[in-house]
Amino acid sequence: GLGHFINDLEENRQIFMDAAALDEFFCAKILFAIDFRAQRWMGQCRDAKEDRSTVDDGIVDFSDITEQVLNGNFDRKLPPTFKTKTPTQQDNDRDDSLPPQKRSKKEEESKRRQENITNPGQCEEFKMKDDEDWSLFKNRKTLKWRPAWDDKCKMCPRWHSRGDCFPDCNNAASHVTYQEIPDEKKASYRTYLKKLRKEA
């Protein structure tokens, strides 16, 4: 449902932000896609009355939207009732009122969010296998299995297993090379991978 989608959004916040930076209508498309399906589902609930056998609850399972965003192929045609800006309006909406240095800082921040960083000291045994898909690591059912790095964050599987991540990741504190990981945390991460791959 919507609650799971919100959790997915938070877990993949940077990817959604990047998509929004590339498409000014991205947020509108996401909201329209959700609203369209929610309205359809509520219509089925209304018509079902006392018998819900005709109600398809899968309509409000928005996990496919998340997958499309993560795979870079999400798109939703907006109806013509959505007002789009003319080039003149877009020019007027620019932050030209900001001093050049602040405008440059804002543009640099947006660019930084779109750039990921690579783990220079990734451990071979922690790397994803050739036949593994990233969805295995971001499955919401397995999030609780991630070992703690400290009392504020977990060990980041994107950094340690995929080999790259974003500078403002919620688990950025764990973005260290293999040599810098304490032995007990290495052992915890091995246990996590073993459990994760057994689940697959």
Side-chain angles (χ1 to χ4, degrees):
L2 189 58
H4 286 157
F5 179 76
I6 292 174
N7 290 336
D8 286 343
L9 193 153
E10 178 58 30
E11 174 65 20
N12 301 282
R13 177 171 55 95
Q14 188 62 54
I15 296 177
F16 275 79
M17 290 173 62
D18 292 344
L22 295 173
D23 181 358
E24 63 176 319
F25 297 112
F26 175 76
C27 294
K29 291 176 180 178
I30 288 287
L31 293 174
F32 180 70
I34 291 175
D35 181 69
F36 185 89
R37 288 162 61 163
Q39 294 294 334
R40 182 184 167 209
W41 177 77
M42 287 190 291
Q44 288 189 0
C45 291
R46 179 197 62 217
D47 297 338
K49 296 181 180 179
E50 297 181 0
D51 182 11
R52 293 193 79 258
S53 62
T54 59
V55 177
D56 181 6
D57 291 328
I59 294 173
V60 287
D61 178 3
F62 305 114
S63 58
D64 59 315
I65 295 179
T66 301
E67 286 301 312
Q68 290 171 12
V69 173
L70 297 180
N71 292 329
N73 58 5
F74 171 78
D75 193 24
R76 183 66 165 88
K77 299 295 183 183
L78 295 174
T81 51
F82 275 72
K83 182 179 180 181
T84 57
K85 297 179 181 179
T86 64
T88 301
Q89 288 175 316
Q90 290 175 341
D91 290 340
N92 291 338
D93 285 346
R94 288 181 57 195
D95 291 333
D96 290 335
S97 59
L98 294 173
Q101 62 272 23
K102 287 189 177 181
R103 190 160 64 243
S104 176
K105 184 177 181 180
K106 183 177 180 180
E107 293 170 352
E108 182 63 29
E109 176 67 16
S110 177
K111 180 180 178 182
R112 183 187 66 80
R113 289 200 304 266
Q114 298 179 46
E115 295 178 345
N116 60 357
I117 51 178
T118 301
N119 184 347
Q122 190 181 10
C123 172
E124 285 296 327
E125 66 174 313
F126 287 178
K127 287 183 179 181
M128 291 176 59
K129 297 180 179 180
D130 292 338
D131 59 345
E132 284 182 337
D133 188 89
W134 175 237
S135 60
L136 171 67
F137 291 80
K138 64 181 183 64
N139 188 320
R140 57 174 168 264
K141 184 173 71 172
T142 65
L143 294 181
K144 60 185 178 182
W145 298 348
R146 296 180 179 180
W149 178 256
D150 54 30
D151 58 351
K152 295 181 180 179
C153 74
K154 303 284 189 178
M155 290 187 70
C156 176
R158 178 166 182 140
W159 177 260
H160 294 292
S161 293
R162 183 166 169 168
D164 63 59
C165 199
F166 302 98
D168 55 354
C169 166
N170 292 334
N171 301 307
S174 73
H175 289 182
V176 299
T177 62
Y178 177 72
Q179 292 75 13
E180 299 173 280
I181 304 175
D183 289 341
E184 68 274 11
K185 297 190 187 302
K186 290 177 182 176
S188 296
Y189 200 81
R190 291 189 190 100
T191 301
Y192 160 69
L193 289 177
K194 185 177 181 180
K195 188 174 182 180
L196 195 72
R197 285 161 177 163
K198 183 178 180 181
E199 178 69 17

